[in-house]
Amino acid sequence: MSTGPGAASVPAPDHDDPLSKAPEAPRRTSMFASLRVRNYRLFFTGQVVSNIGTWMQRIAQDWLVLSLTGSSAAVGITTALQFLPMLLFGLYGGVLVDRLRKRPTLLVTQSAMALTALVLAVLTLTGQVQVWHVYVAAFAMGLATVMDNPARQSFVSELVGRDQLQNAVSLNSANFQSARLVGPAVAGLMITGVGTGWAFLANGLSFVAPLTCLLLMRTRELHTVQRAPRGKGQLREGLRYVAGRPELTWTIVLIGFIGTFGFNFPVFLSAFADDVFDAGAGAYSLFNTLMAVGSLAGALLAARRGTSRLRVLIAAAVGFGVLEIAAAAAPSLWLFALLMVPIGVFSMTVNVTANTSIQMSTDPAMRGRVMALYMMVFLGGSPVGAPVVGWVTDTYGARIGLAAGGAVAAAAAVVIGLVLARVGNLRLSVGWHGGHPQVRFVPRERQEELAPAA
C-alpha cells in the first residue's frame, strides 16, 4: 500500500515454485541506475563516509579487545553484545519502524551511534578504557541498530520506488563493501601508528555525513508508503505474514544458520592472524580487505541482475560453506588470504539475494516488521553463535572453528534447498544442454515428461 509514484504494493509471490521463480520476470538493468535519483545519491554519499568509519571501528574494536584480553572468546562476547539487542528487541523495532517516518527515525539512530563512538574514543585516548567499556559500547551500538537497521532497509524503497529496489539494495551492499576496502586498511595504519582511539574518533565524526545528507533530502520526492497505524497484535501479524509464505520463512531460516555460524569473521580472522600465522594486526586488516574485494565484486554482479532467485541463494550458500572449509585447511597465509576473495563474492551473493528476495516479496506496509525479523535472525544469531564459535576456536583451534562454521552453512543450504523443492513440487533434473551437463530443479510433471527421453 502506497501513495507515492512508483511505489505500488508488491504483488503476492507465487508459492508454487519457490526455487525456480523470481518475484518478477528476469531482467537486466544499468549497474548504477538508482544513482540517477537525487535523494538516493545523497543517501549513498552519506553512507560511503559513515561506512568507512564503521569498518574502522569494527577492526579497532576487535583488536582492542584481543589486546586487552588475549582471548578469541572475548572478541566473540563483544560481537555477541553488539547484536544481542537485535535478538531481544528486533521485532519490536520493526513494529515501531512500520509506524514511524523513516527519515526522522534515522536522524535519531545515527546521532546515537555517533555519540557512542565518541565516548569510546575519549576513554581510549585518555588511557582509561577497560574491556567492560568496550562491551557497554558494543551493546549501546546494538540498541541503536534495533531501529536503525530496519529503518534503513525499508527507507531504500521510499528513495527509489519498487522498480529500482533490486539495484538500490545491491548498490548499498557495494557501498558497504567499498568502504570495507578503505576502512580496514586505514584502521590497520591507525592501530599500528597512533592507536585504536583515533579510529573510534574517526567513526564518531563520520556520522556528520549521513546526518547532513538526510537533512538535504527533498521529502516531496520520496515514494511515500502508508504507515501502519498504532494497534494491538501487530507483532503477531508480522509473524503470521512470514509464516504463511514459505519463500520468506525458509530464506530467513537459512540466513539464520549462516549468520550464526558462518559469518563470525571477527572471531575467525583475528584468530588466524594472531594464532595460526602469528602475523598481527596487519594480516587481520589484509584478510578483511581481500574479503571486501570479493564482496564488492559480488555486490556489483548482483546490481546487474534484474531480479533475485532463491536457487541462486541456495547455490551461493553451499559454495560459501565449501570455501570456508577449504580456507580452514589452507597451509599458508597467502593461500588463506587469496581464498578471502571468493568467500567475499559468495557471502555477498547470499546477503544481497536474500535481502532483495525478501523485500520484493513483502507488502510495503509489512516491510519494517519483515526486515526486522530478517535482521534479527541474521545479526541476532551472533549472540548465540559468536561465543560458541569463539569457544570452539580457543579450545580446538581456529581451523576447526572455521571448518565447523562452513560445514553448518553448507549443510543448512542443502537441507533448505530440498525443503523448498518439496514445497514447490519440484524434482532434481540432471541432463545435457548445449553439450554441457545441467543440474536444476524442474516441476515434477515436467520431470516425468523428460524421463522417457532420458
Side-chain angles (χ1 to χ4, degrees):
M1 303 288 290
S2 70
T3 57
S9 298
V10 179
D14 189 337
H15 307 311
D16 295 333
D17 194 352
L19 278 176
S20 62
K21 290 183 181 178
E24 57 181 12
R27 57 183 171 81
R28 289 196 176 270
T29 185
S30 169
M31 187 176 289
F32 303 104
S34 298
L35 292 176
R36 300 188 187 114
V37 180
R38 179 184 180 276
N39 281 342
Y40 182 75
R41 282 200 307 273
L42 285 168
F43 180 80
F44 187 91
T45 302
Q47 291 300 306
V48 166
V49 179
S50 181
N51 285 336
I52 291 173
T54 296
W55 276 111
M56 291 174 63
Q57 173 140 338
R58 285 191 179 188
I59 300 301
Q61 175 180 279
D62 296 338
W63 201 256
L64 176 61
V65 171
L66 195 62
S67 301
L68 291 172
T69 65
S71 170
S72 294
V75 177
I77 291 171
T78 307
T79 303
L81 287 170
Q82 187 157 339
F83 299 124
L84 181 61
M86 180 63 72
L87 180 62
L88 297 177
F89 311 117
L91 289 176
Y92 296 99
V95 171
L96 292 175
V97 165
D98 276 338
R99 293 176 184 173
L100 301 172
R101 289 185 297 160
K102 310 301 185 296
R103 182 167 160 269
T105 300
L106 288 172
L107 287 169
V108 173
T109 57
Q110 297 277 296
S111 298
M113 289 190 282
L115 181 61
T116 302
L118 292 173
V119 170
L120 187 57
V122 171
L123 288 170
T124 307
L125 291 172
T126 58
Q128 302 299 313
V129 70
Q130 298 178 39
V131 69
W132 72 267
H133 293 142
V134 185
Y135 288 165
V136 171
F139 188 77
M141 282 284 190
L143 284 175
T145 301
V146 166
M147 291 192 63
D148 185 80
N149 247 318
R152 275 191 296 109
Q153 300 287 339
S154 304
F155 192 46
V156 174
S157 64
E158 296 187 21
L159 291 169
V160 300
R162 181 177 184 271
D163 290 344
Q164 298 191 58
L165 180 59
Q166 158 93 12
N167 181 259
V169 170
S170 300
L171 288 182
N172 281 350
S173 298
N175 182 327
F176 190 68
Q177 299 308 323
S178 298
R180 192 176 182 178
L181 292 173
V182 179
V186 176
L189 292 174
M190 280 193 169
I191 292 170
T192 56
V194 294
T196 55
W198 293 99
F200 299 140
L201 179 62
N203 181 43
L205 296 176
S206 73
F207 283 97
V208 172
L211 290 170
T212 301
C213 290
L214 284 168
L215 291 171
L216 290 174
M217 288 181 182
R218 297 170 182 164
T219 56
R220 65 181 182 277
E221 295 179 6
L222 294 175
H223 296 250
T224 307
V225 173
Q226 182 178 338
R227 285 178 283 153
R230 177 184 292 272
K232 294 183 179 180
Q234 289 179 322
L235 181 57
R236 292 191 299 272
E237 181 186 9
L239 293 174
R240 284 196 300 267
Y241 183 88
V242 172
R245 291 160 173 78
E247 77 283 0
L248 295 179
T249 303
W250 290 108
T251 297
I252 291 173
V253 170
L254 175 59
I255 287 299
F257 275 104
I258 296 175
T260 301
F261 299 104
F263 276 10
N264 281 290
F265 297 119
V267 177
F268 296 140
L269 300 188
S270 61
F272 267 85
D274 195 46
D275 299 332
V276 177
F277 299 120
D278 194 24
Y284 182 47
S285 177
L286 173 66
F287 297 157
N288 279 279
T289 301
L290 289 175
M291 185 177 291
V293 171
S295 298
L296 176 60
L300 291 176
L301 288 172
R304 290 284 294 171
R305 291 198 301 268
T307 58
S308 293
R309 291 180 178 271
L310 289 179
R311 65 188 181 192
V312 174
L313 172 62
I314 298 299
V318 172
F320 170 77
V322 170
L323 282 168
E324 281 202 331
I325 295 171
S332 68
L333 182 149
W334 290 109
L335 180 57
F336 180 85
L338 288 175
L339 282 171
M340 293 301 102
V341 177
I343 286 176
V345 172
F346 278 81
S347 68
M348 188 49 54
T349 302
V350 169
N351 194 347
V352 172
T353 305
N355 189 311
T356 309
S357 295
I358 288 174
Q359 290 214 50
M360 295 291 288
S361 300
T362 302
D363 188 281
M366 299 291 297
R367 194 168 285 147
R369 277 163 284 183
V370 174
M371 292 310 298
L373 178 61
Y374 168 76
M375 298 307 299
M376 184 191 77
V377 172
F378 182 37
L379 300 179
S382 292
V384 177
V388 172
V389 169
W391 176 80
V392 171
T393 299
D394 280 344
T395 305
Y396 299 102
R399 295 188 185 277
I400 297 297
L402 181 58
V408 170
V414 170
V415 170
I416 289 172
L418 294 174
V419 169
L420 284 172
R422 184 176 182 84
V423 169
N425 196 31
L426 304 176
R427 292 180 62 183
L428 187 68
S429 171
V430 181
W432 290 83
H433 180 73
H436 301 284
Q438 184 180 65
V439 180
R440 57 178 179 163
F441 287 100
V442 299
R444 290 180 183 274
E445 295 79 4
R446 186 178 176 187
Q447 178 77 12
E448 292 167 0
E449 292 173 3
L450 294 175

Coordinates of all heavy atoms in Angstrom, one line a residue, residues 76 79-81 83-84 87 256 259-261 264 379-390:
G76 N 34.4 -12.7 20.7 CA 33.1 -13.3 20.4 C 32.1 -12.7 21.3 O 30.9 -12.4 20.9
T79 N 31.2 -9.2 20.0 CA 30.3 -9.3 18.8 C 28.9 -9.7 19.3 O 27.9 -9.2 18.8 CB 30.8 -10.4 17.9 OG1 32.2 -10.1 17.5 CG2 30.0 -10.5 16.6
A80 N 28.8 -10.6 20.3 CA 27.5 -11.1 20.8 C 26.8 -9.9 21.4 O 25.6 -9.7 21.2 CB 27.7 -12.2 21.8
L81 N 27.4 -9.1 22.2 CA 26.8 -8.0 22.9 C 26.3 -6.9 21.9 O 25.3 -6.3 22.1 CB 27.7 -7.3 23.9 CG 28.0 -8.1 25.2 CD1 29.1 -7.5 26.0 CD2 26.7 -8.2 26.0
F83 N 25.2 -7.5 18.9 CA 24.0 -8.0 18.2 C 22.9 -8.6 19.1 O 21.8 -8.9 18.6 CB 24.4 -9.0 17.2 CG 25.3 -8.5 16.1 CD1 26.6 -9.1 15.9 CD2 25.0 -7.4 15.4 CE1 27.5 -8.6 15.0 CE2 25.9 -6.9 14.4 CZ 27.1 -7.5 14.2
L84 N 23.2 -8.6 20.4 CA 22.2 -9.1 21.4 C 20.9 -8.3 21.4 O 19.8 -8.9 21.4 CB 22.8 -9.2 22.8 CG 21.8 -9.7 23.9 CD1 21.4 -11.2 23.6 CD2 22.5 -9.6 25.2
L87 N 18.5 -9.4 18.7 CA 17.9 -10.7 19.0 C 16.8 -10.5 20.0 O 15.7 -11.1 19.9 CB 18.9 -11.6 19.6 CG 18.4 -13.0 20.0 CD1 17.9 -13.8 18.8 CD2 19.6 -13.8 20.7
G256 N 19.6 -17.4 9.1 CA 19.9 -17.6 10.5 C 21.0 -18.5 10.7 O 21.9 -18.2 11.5
G259 N 24.3 -16.8 9.3 CA 24.7 -15.6 10.2 C 25.2 -16.1 11.5 O 26.1 -15.5 12.1
T260 N 24.6 -17.1 12.1 CA 25.0 -17.6 13.4 C 26.4 -18.3 13.4 O 27.2 -18.1 14.3 CB 23.9 -18.5 14.0 OG1 22.7 -17.8 14.1 CG2 24.3 -19.0 15.4
F261 N 26.6 -19.2 12.4 CA 27.8 -20.0 12.4 C 28.8 -19.7 11.3 O 30.0 -20.0 11.5 CB 27.4 -21.5 12.3 CG 26.5 -21.9 13.5 CD1 25.1 -22.1 13.3 CD2 27.0 -22.2 14.7 CE1 24.3 -22.5 14.3 CE2 26.2 -22.6 15.8 CZ 24.9 -22.7 15.5
N264 N 30.9 -15.3 11.4 CA 31.6 -14.8 12.5 C 33.1 -14.5 12.2 O 34.0 -15.0 12.8 CB 31.6 -15.9 13.7 CG 30.3 -15.8 14.4 OD1 30.0 -14.9 15.1 ND2 29.5 -16.9 14.2
L379 N 21.6 -10.9 12.2 CA 22.5 -10.3 13.1 C 22.4 -10.8 14.5 O 23.3 -10.9 15.2 CB 22.3 -8.8 13.1 CG 22.5 -8.0 11.8 CD1 22.3 -6.5 11.9 CD2 23.9 -8.3 11.2
G380 N 21.1 -11.1 14.9 CA 20.9 -11.6 16.3 C 21.4 -13.0 16.5 O 21.5 -13.4 17.7
G381 N 21.7 -13.7 15.5 CA 22.2 -15.0 15.7 C 23.6 -15.0 16.3 O 24.1 -16.0 16.9
S382 N 24.3 -13.9 16.1 CA 25.7 -13.7 16.6 C 25.8 -13.9 18.2 O 26.8 -14.5 18.7 CB 26.3 -12.4 16.2 OG 26.5 -12.4 14.8
P383 N 24.8 -13.4 19.0 CA 24.9 -13.6 20.4 C 25.0 -15.1 20.8 O 25.5 -15.4 21.8 CB 23.7 -12.9 21.0 CG 23.4 -11.9 20.0 CD 23.7 -12.5 18.6
V384 N 24.4 -15.9 19.9 CA 24.4 -17.4 20.2 C 25.7 -18.0 19.6 O 26.4 -18.7 20.2 CB 23.2 -18.1 19.6 CG1 23.2 -19.6 19.8 CG2 21.9 -17.5 20.3
G385 N 25.9 -17.6 18.3 CA 27.0 -18.2 17.6 C 28.4 -17.8 17.9 O 29.3 -18.6 18.0
A386 N 28.6 -16.4 18.2 CA 29.9 -15.9 18.4 C 30.6 -16.5 19.6 O 31.8 -16.9 19.5 CB 29.9 -14.4 18.4
P387 N 30.0 -16.6 20.8 CA 30.6 -17.2 21.9 C 30.9 -18.7 21.7 O 32.0 -19.2 22.1 CB 29.6 -17.0 23.1 CG 28.8 -15.8 22.7 CD 28.7 -16.0 21.2
V388 N 30.0 -19.4 21.0 CA 30.2 -20.8 20.8 C 31.4 -21.0 19.8 O 32.3 -21.8 20.1 CB 28.9 -21.4 20.2 CG1 29.2 -22.9 19.7 CG2 27.8 -21.4 21.2
V389 N 31.4 -20.2 18.7 CA 32.5 -20.3 17.8 C 33.8 -19.8 18.4 O 34.8 -20.4 18.2 CB 32.2 -19.4 16.5 CG1 33.4 -19.3 15.6 CG2 31.0 -20.0 15.7
G390 N 33.7 -18.8 19.3 CA 34.9 -18.4 20.0 C 35.5 -19.5 20.9 O 36.7 -19.7 21.0

